[in-house]
Amino acid sequence: MTAPVKLQRIHHVAYRCKDAKVTVDWYADILGMAFTTAFSEDHVPSTGEYDPYMHVFLDCGGGNVIAFFELPNQPDMGKDPNTPDWVQHIAFEV
């Protein structure tokens, strides 16, 4: 039997956003997170499918990173209708 992989930490969590610049500005200005990286691609690396996107990363401190995808060619995203609103969130300790 193979032993399970020993995780060190979560590298990042990723969410969808409507506008990458507005999102980065808000998290930087309001929560003081440092913008670290952005890249855009026209094709999904795992599938090769054409689907342009922008992927941005912010440093939350303490080795924590949050990332966002701007997906301009995808339909608007909504909340999961089968999950209560109070469950769908991210919480920060400030």
Side-chain angles (χ1 to χ4, degrees):
M1 183 166 140
T2 305
V5 173
K6 183 174 186 219
L7 296 176
Q8 301 298 314
R9 66 183 180 92
I10 294 173
H11 182 270
H12 70 274
V13 295
Y15 298 95
R16 185 173 176 186
C17 69
K18 189 173 195 128
D19 183 312
K21 180 177 179 353
V22 169
T23 300
V24 166
D25 289 347
W26 190 89
Y27 279 86
D29 294 346
I30 303 301
L31 296 179
M33 294 182 188
F35 166 74
T36 63
T37 309
F39 62 89
S40 61
E41 298 287 342
D42 287 336
H43 294 83
V44 179
S46 59
T47 66
E49 174 186 7
Y50 177 77
D51 193 6
Y53 65 90
M54 170 72 69
H55 197 23
V56 296
F57 296 81
L58 295 120
D59 185 344
C60 306
N64 299 290
V65 175
I66 189 169
F68 293 92
F69 282 97
E70 179 183 309
L71 304 167
N73 290 356
Q74 293 293 327
D76 287 345
M77 187 183 93
K79 291 184 176 182
D80 177 354
N82 297 316
T83 304
D85 285 345
W86 60 269
V87 173
Q88 300 180 62
H89 70 279
I90 183 169
F92 297 102
E93 183 176 327
V94 296

